[in-house]
């Protein structure tokens, strides 16, 4: 059974017709994008945590797919990596990595961002900034304690290694996401309007 998406559908991915099969494809596609973007890294010699585009992909996926499908895509990425697939940064896998807490944070960030997108926080720049900030905080909240435990260091040292070096980069990602999402909505709404007008004229 399929349903036609309403022009005011809450998520960017829901253009056209929805079905269980389509949702499954979107989840798997988002998981693949996370895995690919996780390999686009800039290693830092003084910390085991690299700079990666996966965080941006996770939050964009959460906004585009919504909380359920976004969380499933990040959760699927976590699961296949935990089971041994080399999908984490630098082709790593497993749960004993110092950075595994950030990957757990991907799931929480996708859920948080998806819930905010459900309330249309991704449609204007101001709310989108808040959406991206909260998603980023979710990553830190999960990643830093795991880093501290994994490396047997105080939480303050984990913040130095797992937060401070990334503040500028994460700020840039927040700016990109807060511009990208509303722009994506404007393009999507314009496309839907054109399709609806063409359908009415047919």
């Amino acid at each position: 059974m399929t349903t036609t998406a309403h022009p005011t559908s809450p998520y960017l991915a829901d253009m056209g017709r929805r079905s269980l099969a389509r949702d499954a494809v979107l989840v798997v596609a988002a998981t693949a994008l996370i895995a690919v973007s996780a390999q686009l890294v800039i290693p830092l010699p003084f910390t085991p945590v690299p700079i990666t585009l996966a965080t941006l992909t996770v939050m964009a996926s959460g906004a585009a797919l919504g909380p359920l499908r976004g969380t499933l895509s990040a959760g699927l990425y976590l699961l296949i990596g935990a089971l041994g697939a080399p999908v984490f940064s630098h082709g790593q896998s497993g749960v004993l990595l110092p950075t595994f807490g950030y990957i757990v944070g991907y799931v929480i960030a996708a859920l948080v961002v998806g819930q905010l997108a459900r309330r249309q926080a991704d449609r204007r720049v101001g709310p989108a900034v808040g959406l991206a900030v909260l998603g980023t905080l979710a990553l830190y909240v999960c990643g830093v304690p795991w880093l501290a435990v994994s490396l047997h260091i105080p939480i303050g040292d984990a913040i130095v290694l797992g937060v401070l070096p990334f503040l500028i980069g994460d700020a840039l990602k927040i700016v990109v996401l807060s511009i990208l999402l509303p722009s994506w909505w404007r393009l999507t709404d314009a496309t839907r309007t054109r399709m609806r007008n063409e359908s009415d004229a047919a």
Side-chain angles (χ1 to χ4, degrees), residues 130-156:
L131 172 150
V133 168
L134 289 175
T136 302
L137 288 176
L139 297 173
Y140 288 149
V141 167
C142 295
V144 171
W146 190 290
L147 185 65
V149 171
S150 177
L151 298 180
H152 308 287
I153 59 176
I155 195 71

Side-chain angles (χ1 to χ4, degrees), residues 13-14 21 23 49 53 55 58 66 84 91 98 103 107 133 135 141 152 160 170 172 177 182-183 189 200:
D14 292 336
D23 285 346
V49 185
L53 284 182
T55 54
V58 165
I103 298 165
V107 181
V133 168
V141 167
H152 308 287
V160 171
D170 285 339
L172 290 174
L177 199 64
S183 299
D189 287 342
D200 292 342

